[in-house]
C-alpha cells in the first residue's frame, strides 16, 4: 500500500462536513484533536498520542461511511457487457449477453451520494462528469460514479474532493475492488430505433436508483433508457460533430 502523507495537527478540525449527505450533529466534537497534554504527573508518550489516535479513528470511520460508493448489480456481472454503442456520438454502451425477461431488476445506480453544492463544484472543474452523474428529482443530491477527475472507469472507489485524503484513502486503502459502473453506461435510444428497454425507480429516502427491464431483451441487445428532459446531451452532439469533421478530412 502507498504511504500516506502526514496529517497536520489541525487538519481534522478544519474539514468542511457540510457537503456530506447527512451532516454530523457536532463536527467540532467529532474532529477535535487533543492538545492539552496529559494529566498531572503523567508523562507516558502513549497517553499523549491517545487523543490524536482517537480522532484519527473517528475521521477514518466517518470518511469510510459518508464517502463510500453505492450501487449493486442484481444480475450476474457476466450477463452484462460494455461495447461501442449503436448511438452515434455516445461512445460506449451496455449490452446483455443473455436473454432476460421483462421486469428483471438489473441493480442500483453506482456512485457516491453528493450534496448538490459539492457535486456542482466538481462539475465546474470537470464538466465531463455531467454525462454520468444522476441527479435526484428533488435536486438536493447527486449520485456520482466518476473519479476525482470526472472520468467514469470500470469501478467506482468513492472519496470526496471536499475532505482531505478521502479519495486517496478510498482508492488505496478501503475501496477494495470498487463498485462496478456498468449501469452508468446505459445510453438513450437512437432516433428511429426500437426505443427504451430499461426504466428506473428512485428512492429519495435511501438515495438509491433501481433499474428494471421494461420488456424482454435478447442476447446481444443494447440497453437504453430515457434520462428525461433535463439530461445534458451536448456530449452526444460534440462527439458527432467531431466524427463528421474527421470524415470530411
Amino acid at each position: 500500500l502507498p504511504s500516506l502523507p502526514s496529517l497536520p495537527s489541525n487538519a481534522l478540525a478544519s474539514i468542511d462536513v457540510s457537503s456530506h449527505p447527512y451532516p454530523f450533529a457536532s463536527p467540532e466534537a467529532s474532529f477535535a484533536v487533543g492538545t492539552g497534554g496529559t494529566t498531572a504527573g503523567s508523562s507516558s508518550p502513549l497517553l499523549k498520542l491517545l487523543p490524536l489516535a482517537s480522532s484519527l479513528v473517528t475521521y477514518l470511520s466517518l470518511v469510510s461511511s459518508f464517502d463510500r460508493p453505492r450501487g449493486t448489480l442484481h444480475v450476474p456481472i457476466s450477463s452484462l457487457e460494455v461495447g461501442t454503442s449503436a448511438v452515434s456520438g455516445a461512445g460506449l454502451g451496455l449490452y446483455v449477453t443473455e436473454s432476460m425477461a421483462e421486469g428483471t431488476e438489473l441493480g442500483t445506480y453506482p456512485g457516491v451520494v453528493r450534496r448538490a453544492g459539492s457535486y456542482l463544484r466538481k462539475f465546474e472543474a470537470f464538466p465531463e462528469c455531467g454525462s454520468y452523474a444522476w441527479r435526484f428529482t428533488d435536486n438536493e443530491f447527486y449520485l456520482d460514479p466518476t473519479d476525482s477527475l470526472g472520468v467514469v472507469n470500470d469501478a467506482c472507489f468513492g472519496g470526496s474532493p471536499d475532505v482531505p485524503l478521502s479519495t486517496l484513502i478510498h482508492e488505496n486503502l478501503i475501496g477494495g475492488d470498487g463498485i462496478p459502473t456498468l449501469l452508468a453506461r446505459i445510453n438513450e435510444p437512437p432516433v428511429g430505433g426500437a426505443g427504451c428497454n430499461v426504466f428506473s425507480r428512485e428512492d429519495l429516502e435511501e438515495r438509491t436508483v433501481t433499474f428494471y427491464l421494461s420488456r424482454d431483451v435478447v442476447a446481444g441487445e443494447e440497453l437504453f433508457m430515457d434520462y428525461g428532459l433535463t439530461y445534458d446531451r451536448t456530449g452526444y452532439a460534440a462527439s458527432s460533430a467531431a466524427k463528421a469533421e474527421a470524415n470530411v478530412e
Side-chain angles (χ1 to χ4, degrees), residues 4-190:
L4 294 177
S6 58
L7 192 65
S9 61
N10 65 343
L12 303 182
S14 65
I15 294 173
D16 177 13
V17 299
S18 62
S19 62
H20 283 77
Y22 308 105
F24 311 120
S26 177
E28 294 80 5
S30 298
F31 292 117
V33 178
T35 57
T38 60
T39 57
S42 173
S43 59
S44 169
L46 180 59
L47 290 178
K48 292 181 179 180
L49 290 175
L50 283 178
L52 179 59
S54 175
S55 296
L56 185 58
V57 170
T58 300
Y59 169 74
L60 289 174
S61 34
L62 289 173
V63 164
S64 65
S65 174
F66 289 102
D67 298 337
R68 65 181 174 84
R70 304 185 181 192
T72 56
L73 286 177
H74 298 164
V75 295
I77 194 169
S78 60
S79 66
L80 301 172
E81 183 178 52
V82 174
T84 302
S85 177
V87 180
S88 177
L92 298 176
L94 187 64
Y95 294 80
V96 295
T97 61
E98 59 187 59
S99 297
M100 299 184 192
E102 176 182 348
T104 298
E105 187 174 313
L106 299 173
T108 55
Y109 198 77
V112 178
V113 176
R114 305 192 191 283
R115 283 189 176 275
S118 174
Y119 167 75
L120 292 174
R121 285 192 295 273
K122 180 178 178 179
F123 176 75
E124 288 179 0
F126 307 104
E128 54 270 31
C129 70
S131 297
Y132 299 100
W134 183 282
R135 181 175 65 181
F136 286 95
T137 52
D138 61 2
N139 297 320
E140 294 183 6
F141 293 92
Y142 287 75
L143 265 173
D144 177 16
T146 66
D147 65 13
S148 58
L149 299 178
V151 177
V152 64
N153 298 302
D154 292 338
C156 175
F157 293 93
S160 170
D162 297 324
V163 180
L165 304 182
S166 172
T167 299
L168 184 147
I169 290 171
H170 276 275
E171 291 183 350
N172 297 281
L173 295 180
I174 61 178
D177 294 330
I179 300 297
T181 59
L182 289 168
L183 296 183
R185 299 290 187 181
I186 298 177
N187 292 314
E188 291 193 313

